[in-house]
């Protein structure tokens, strides 16, 4: 995850002031020095860090902290608020045309994942009920048009292509007319990139901009390039004028400085971040949620939204009824494991859990994912009758299943045990009376 190193360093900085009844100026100076080093090592812009720490120190030296019963919590809260503000404060949404048809122009250098991001954006917009069409205007990069067609097919979105025309503006203009004619309400234009910003590239993009008059110009940058991404954003904005940034590869081992510096340096918000290579791996950028993740506080809202995408009300009601009636089968268990995978796996879910997020670094998630795969293989080796009624799984049946999935009987016994434990836990959580007695849920019920 991006920011993992930054998150670790900040939490270590806060651990030095944890539990102190009153913070002295010396304590605050030491904490601010640790925060400064953590941000610089995360490749945050130096001027941004200097201003960030100066403002934070001034605030931390106030009476609010020195007289607080839990000064360490107050400092963490201040850092969280400052991080949110640094990244823009609130999420910035796309602007849609009031006339009903919106054009989005995607720009960026080569290698940032721009073409793939066009497909991800189309997928995201379709989830919002929009009808997008893609347009191939990168006429220079070999196989760029073919790549966009493959991407479009993967998200079931049409792609406007003209392999004969060599003028990107004419292609975009024709695509816009075609999209409106066929009832699409968004055109996403994939433009040509370069290895670096040059005058020829910008002149071409300016002509394209004046032709299609986009409602949004979104710059795609690679988070792994750190401050280079911020410099690119600044260059594109000064030459072309952009409306927002899409930060790709945020799931990689990036230090995260680009995401923390971009808004402050360019004045333009990050609107989306790429969180995986899959077509659904594009998240709206929420500064407040990302600040929570960085500080190890989790991100329960994003986790809930991810779950809601996978479950409609009817499915949730059906599952709840099965749990209540104690008819949760191995088929249901298999389905739930599939849903966990779709949400990004065990690691991603744990990283979003409050109180757990900052403690998952040393957990062996690979072993957990491997066990998931083995349990799926075991269940898939069963007959339908066995999945629906695990009580009939005697020794001979388990031996047959073992031969079918290539795993020892001990693995099958362990899987049945895990299933029984999950079933019992779900049954308990579906009973409000039982939950009232559990100290973990104290205060949730009247």
């Amino acid at each position: 995850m991006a920011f993992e190193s930054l998150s670790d360093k900040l939490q270590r900085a806060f651990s030095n002031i944890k539990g102190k009844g009153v913070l002295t100026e010396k304590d605050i100076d030491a904490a601010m020095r640790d925060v400064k080093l953590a941000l610089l090592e995360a490749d945050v812009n130096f001027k941004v860090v200097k201003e960030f720490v100066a403002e934070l120190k001034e605030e931390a030296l106030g009476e609010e902290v020195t007289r607080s019963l839990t000064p360490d919590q107050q400092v963490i809260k201040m850092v969280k608020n400052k991080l949110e503000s640094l990244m823009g404060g609130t999420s910035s949404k796309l602007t849609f045309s009031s006339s009903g048809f919106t054009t989005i122009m995607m720009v960026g250098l080569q290698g940032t994942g721009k073409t793939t991001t066009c497909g991800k954006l189309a997928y995201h917009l379709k989830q919002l009920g929009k009808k997008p069409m893609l347009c191939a205007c990168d006429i220079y990069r070999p196989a760029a048009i073919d790549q966009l067609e493959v991407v479009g097919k993967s998200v079931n979105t049409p792609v406007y292509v003209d392999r004969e025309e060599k003028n990107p503006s004419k292609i975009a203009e024709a695509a816009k007319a075609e999209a409106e004619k066929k009832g699409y309400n968004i055109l996403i234009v994939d433009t040509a990139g370069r290895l670096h910003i040059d005058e020829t590239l910008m002149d071409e993009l300016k002509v394209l901009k004046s032709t299609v008059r986009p409602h949004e110009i979104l710059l795609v940058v690679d988070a792994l390039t750190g401050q280079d991404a911020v410099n690119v954003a600044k260059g594109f904005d000064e030459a072309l004028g952009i409306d927002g940034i899409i930060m790709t590869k945020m799931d990689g081992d990036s230090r995260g400085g680009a995401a923390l510096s971009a808004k402050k340096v360019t004045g333009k918000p990050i609107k989306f971040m790429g969180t995986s290579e899959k077509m659904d791996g594009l998240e709206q950028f929420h500064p407040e949620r990302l600040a929570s993740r960085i500080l190890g506080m989790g991100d329960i809202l994003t986790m809930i939204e991810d779950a809601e995408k996978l479950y409609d009300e009817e499915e949730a009601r059906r599952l709840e009824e099965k749990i209540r009636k104690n008819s949760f089968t191995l088929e249901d268990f298999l389905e739930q494991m599939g849903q966990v995978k779709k949400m990004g796996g065990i690691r991603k879910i744990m990283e979003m859990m409050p109180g757990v997020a900052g403690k998952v670094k040393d957990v062996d998630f690979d072993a957990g994912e491997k066990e998931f795969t083995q349990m799926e293989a075991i269940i898939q080796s069963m007959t339908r009758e066995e999945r629906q009624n695990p009580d009939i799984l005697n020794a001979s049946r388990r031996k047959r299943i073992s031969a079918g999935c290539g795993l020892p009987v001990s693995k099958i016994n362990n899987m049945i045990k895990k299933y029984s434990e999950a079933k019992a836990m779900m049954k308990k959580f579906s009973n409000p009376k039982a939950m009232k007695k559990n100290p973990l849920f104290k205060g949730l019920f009247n």
Side-chain angles (χ1 to χ4, degrees), residues 69-134:
L69 292 176
T70 54
D72 58 308
Q73 293 178 6
Q74 285 294 108
V75 171
I76 292 171
K77 182 182 177 183
M78 288 175 185
V79 173
K80 181 177 181 294
N81 291 341
K82 288 289 182 188
L83 285 173
E84 287 180 26
S85 177
L86 189 62
M87 293 185 283
T90 58
S91 57
S92 181
K93 297 182 179 180
L94 290 175
T95 301
F96 296 107
S97 171
S98 57
S99 68
F101 188 88
T102 300
T103 304
I104 299 173
M105 188 169 151
M106 305 286 277
V107 300
L109 299 182
Q110 285 183 9
T112 59
K114 178 166 50 64
T115 299
T116 302
T117 302
C118 286
K120 290 182 178 181
L121 182 59
Y123 179 89
H124 173 80
L125 292 170
K126 290 181 76 170
Q127 303 308 301
L128 300 179
K130 305 292 184 181
K131 292 183 65 179
M133 174 186 275
L134 295 165

Side-chain angles (χ1 to χ4, degrees), residues 167-186:
N167 186 327
S169 294
K170 289 184 178 180
I171 295 172
E173 197 169 25
K176 187 175 179 181
E178 181 82 358
E180 288 188 276
K181 179 182 176 182
K182 292 189 174 180
Y184 296 97
N185 52 25
I186 294 181

Side-chain angles (χ1 to χ4, degrees), residues 316-332:
R317 197 159 37 241
R318 181 181 61 81
L319 180 60
E320 182 185 358
E321 189 175 344
K322 275 179 166 285
I323 294 169
R324 195 169 55 248
K325 291 182 177 179
N326 205 31
S327 60
F328 185 77
T329 68
L330 281 168
E331 286 185 333
D332 299 315

Side-chain angles (χ1 to χ4, degrees), residues 377-382 397-408 412:
I378 291 168
I379 297 173
Q380 287 165 352
S381 297
M382 296 177 182
R397 286 178 181 268
R398 295 186 188 207
K399 190 174 180 181
R400 191 205 78 245
I401 294 165
S402 171
C405 64
L407 294 167
I412 297 164

Side-chain angles (χ1 to χ4, degrees), residues 13-218:
F14 299 141
S15 69
N16 295 329
I17 60 174
K18 196 169 185 179
K20 293 195 174 186
V22 176
L23 291 184
T24 65
E25 186 170 350
K26 185 178 179 181
D27 293 328
I28 293 172
D29 281 339
M32 293 305 106
R33 185 169 58 251
D34 289 341
V35 169
K36 181 179 180 180
L37 288 173
L39 291 171
L40 288 173
E41 287 178 23
D43 200 23
V44 180
N45 179 278
F46 176 75
K47 290 182 180 179
V48 172
V49 173
K50 188 177 179 181
E51 185 179 329
F52 181 95
V53 173
E55 291 177 358
L56 187 61
K57 181 180 177 181
E58 184 179 349
E59 194 173 338
L61 285 170
E63 291 184 10
E64 183 181 7
V65 167
T66 55
R67 294 185 181 181
S68 170
L69 292 176
T70 54
D72 58 308
Q73 293 178 6
Q74 285 294 108
V75 171
I76 292 171
K77 182 182 177 183
M78 288 175 185
V79 173
K80 181 177 181 294
N81 291 341
K82 288 289 182 188
L83 285 173
E84 287 180 26
S85 177
L86 189 62
M87 293 185 283
T90 58
S91 57
S92 181
K93 297 182 179 180
L94 290 175
T95 301
F96 296 107
S97 171
S98 57
S99 68
F101 188 88
T102 300
T103 304
I104 299 173
M105 188 169 151
M106 305 286 277
V107 300
L109 299 182
Q110 285 183 9
T112 59
K114 178 166 50 64
T115 299
T116 302
T117 302
C118 286
K120 290 182 178 181
L121 182 59
Y123 179 89
H124 173 80
L125 292 170
K126 290 181 76 170
Q127 303 308 301
L128 300 179
K130 305 292 184 181
K131 292 183 65 179
M133 174 186 275
L134 295 165
C135 171
C137 281
D138 185 350
I139 59 173
Y140 306 109
R141 183 168 62 87
I145 295 175
D146 293 338
Q147 183 188 356
L148 189 65
E149 286 185 312
V150 170
V151 165
K153 187 176 181 180
S154 71
V155 293
N156 197 26
T157 300
V159 180
Y160 183 87
V161 171
D162 187 340
R163 296 178 185 273
E164 302 301 320
E165 180 59 63
K166 299 304 177 185
N167 186 327
S169 294
K170 289 184 178 180
I171 295 172
E173 197 169 25
K176 187 175 179 181
E178 181 82 358
E180 288 188 276
K181 179 182 176 182
K182 292 189 174 180
Y184 296 97
N185 52 25
I186 294 181
L187 181 68
I188 301 172
V189 181
D190 183 25
T191 64
R194 297 284 194 280
L195 294 175
H196 55 84
I197 296 175
D198 61 34
E199 191 174 343
T200 304
L201 168 65
M202 287 305 169
D203 286 344
E204 183 179 291
L205 292 176
K206 286 175 186 176
V207 172
L208 188 57
K209 177 183 176 180
S210 65
T211 302
V212 299
R213 296 187 296 279
H215 301 88
E216 290 270 352
I217 298 179
L218 299 179

